Amino acid sequence: MITFYPGPSKVYPQVADYAAQAVREGIVSQNHRSVGFMDVVKETIQLLHEKLNVPSDYHIAFVSSATECWEIVAQSLTIETSSHPYTGAFGKKWMEYAHRIKPSGNGQNEDVLCVVQNETSNGTQVRMEALAQYRQQFSGLIAVDAVSSMAGVTFDWPLADVWFASVQKCFGLPAGLAVFIYSPAALERAQQIGENAHYNSLLFMHENFSKFQTPYTPNGLGIYCLMRVLQQVPPIAEVDVITRQRAADWYAFFEYEMSDSPFQLLITDPAVRSDTVIAVEGAEADIKAVKVAAQQAGITLGNGYGDWKYTTFRIANFPAIAQKEIETLMQFLLSSQQ
Ligand SMILES: *Cc1c(COP(=O)(O)O)cnc(C)c1O
């Protein structure tokens, strides 16, 4: 079975061995305040800086999910309320979660701008040029949800103060862990607010992570597997070239080779098309039929999401997916046209 589901998505096959080693070598049985475990946390953070080219003055913490990151931004970094220029289901959900914690509407000042860099639900992205414009126009903090693009493409990190991603998408790992990256300005904001009422308050997290510890027993297996995957993958600049080339191939494939099929690209403007999630639109019956036929051929396509649940399928373009698997799916789609 091969999967193009955009989350949870294909896990690097090597993770099976990493997980087995973590158990066999007792890594997951170590106390999370032991030197051995703290070394794993330390190395994983170092590798994130190295492999993803995260600026050395940006801090990194581990949490459980991107949803938790949405709440941390609201509770620990938002003074009055946050602004959410969203284009899809995840952006909308983030706004709903954030505004339950820091409501908007009574003329509150918007002091955090929340941007979903890659909208997994419809296959759009906010390019770095657009983020640079936000940076120029907005004087508050900028927080970026990069769940389905971090570790797949390069970012211009200084354009935002907070970047986060859970690992079950582009990182090619099982769910249950997220990476929360924050700038010195974000830390300063947290100190200014002084919010310390939660187990995952950023100040409390920061205090713990500066000792390579966590406030609660963390997902040690997930952190260890993340460390091993980061050791294995090439630097992000190299990954980025491959991801963008594969995305260009997918878009050309649907525009030209599949032009007589019942399917078309959901996003018509190439400038906002995602490099990591390709959304394909069609009549409900055709979408259903191709998903069933693909399944029978051993290929899982991503379902549509939110407003596009029944009229699209999605193809993950994540680094863990092998070139051969992409060719298999292209062949399947071409042959299903006849
Ligand atoms: C999957 C996804 C989320 C939710 O991630 P969780 O780890 O399940 O909380 C948030 N934002 C985007 C853009 C996503 O693709």
Side-chain angles (χ1 to χ4, degrees):
M1 202 66 208
I2 61 181
T3 180
F4 290 87
Y5 220 98
S9 45
K10 185 189 172 191
V11 167
Y12 283 104
Q14 294 93 325
V15 172
D17 289 336
Y18 301 157
Q21 280 175 31
V23 174
R24 255 190 244 118
E25 290 166 21
I27 291 148
V28 289
S29 307
Q30 279 179 352
N31 183 295
H32 60 288
R33 313 224 181 267
S34 68
V35 172
F37 190 80
M38 281 156 57
D39 283 345
V40 170
V41 171
K42 187 176 177 181
E43 179 165 0
T44 311
I45 289 174
Q46 264 170 11
L47 281 162
L48 283 164
H49 277 287
E50 276 169 40
K51 287 290 173 80
L52 300 187
N53 212 11
V54 177
S56 56
D57 60 344
Y58 276 48
H59 308 282
I60 299 178
F62 299 126
V63 296
S64 303
S65 68
T67 305
E68 186 182 353
C69 297
W70 292 344
E71 293 213 340
I72 293 172
V73 170
Q75 82 190 7
S76 297
L77 294 171
T78 306
I79 303 168
E80 292 188 27
T81 195
S82 45
S83 167
H84 298 256
Y86 66 84
T87 59
F90 285 104
K92 181 161 185 275
K93 244 193 209 177
W94 185 2
M95 181 185 73
E96 290 163 358
Y97 274 73
H99 288 175
R100 277 200 287 269
I101 296 174
K102 294 285 161 77
S104 72
N106 298 320
Q108 281 101 330
N109 199 35
E110 292 174 334
D111 50 81
V112 182
L113 182 72
C114 298
V115 179
V116 175
Q117 195 277 323
N118 195 74
E119 181 48 78
T120 322
S121 67
N122 58 17
T124 55
Q125 71 168 317
V126 174
R127 292 187 185 278
M128 292 304 114
E129 297 77 34
L131 196 57
Q133 280 191 345
Y134 281 130
R135 198 51 146 177
Q136 270 191 346
Q137 291 158 4
F138 189 79
S139 59
L141 290 186
I142 297 184
V144 175
D145 173 329
V147 174
S148 53
S149 51
M150 188 187 292
V153 292
T154 51
F155 299 139
D156 192 353
W157 298 99
L159 292 178
D161 302 288
V162 174
W163 296 83
F164 57 84
S166 36
V167 300
Q168 73 273 20
K169 301 194 181 164
C170 257
F171 279 96
L173 283 156
L177 181 70
V179 177
F180 189 88
I181 301 174
Y182 52 107
S183 70
L187 180 60
E188 230 170 81
R189 169 73 72 88
Q191 284 158 344
Q192 176 197 346
I193 297 175
E195 187 280 311
N196 237 325
H198 301 273
Y199 77 98
N200 59 4
S201 295
L202 189 57
L203 290 178
F204 188 40
M205 297 280 291
H206 182 76
E207 191 189 311
N208 274 271
F209 272 93
S210 23
K211 297 176 285 188
F212 303 106
Q213 294 188 357
T214 54
Y216 54 90
T217 316
N219 178 354
L221 179 60
I223 296 171
Y224 176 78
C225 290
L226 173 59
M227 178 185 84
R228 297 294 304 270
V229 161
L230 288 168
Q231 288 169 343
Q232 154 204 322
V233 295
I236 192 65
E238 286 174 39
V239 176
D240 177 271
V241 171
I242 298 167
T243 302
R244 285 178 204 272
Q245 184 56 54
R246 286 175 169 185
D249 291 347
W250 270 123
Y251 287 120
F253 176 79
F254 281 102
E255 280 185 328
Y256 302 108
E257 293 179 67
M258 292 288 285
S259 58
D260 294 330
S261 79
F263 305 114
Q264 56 277 316
L265 292 165
L266 175 66
I267 306 304
T268 49
D269 179 3
V272 296
R273 278 180 189 154
S274 166
D275 287 314
T276 48
V277 178
I278 287 89
V280 182
E281 192 180 29
E284 205 173 312
D286 292 321
I287 294 290
K288 199 172 170 187
V290 74
K291 284 193 301 193
V292 170
Q295 203 65 31
Q296 282 164 354
I299 303 167
T300 302
L301 293 172
N303 287 334
Y305 194 94
D307 292 345
W308 301 275
K309 193 172 170 67
Y310 300 110
T311 53
T312 60
F313 65 82
R314 292 174 301 158
I315 298 170
N317 182 33
F318 296 161
I321 295 169
Q323 186 59 32
K324 207 161 154 265
E325 295 174 320
I326 296 173
E327 284 156 19
T328 303
L329 176 53
M330 285 183 173
Q331 274 310 316
F332 164 80
L333 288 168
L334 282 175
S335 64
S336 68
Q337 268 198 95
Q338 269 106 55

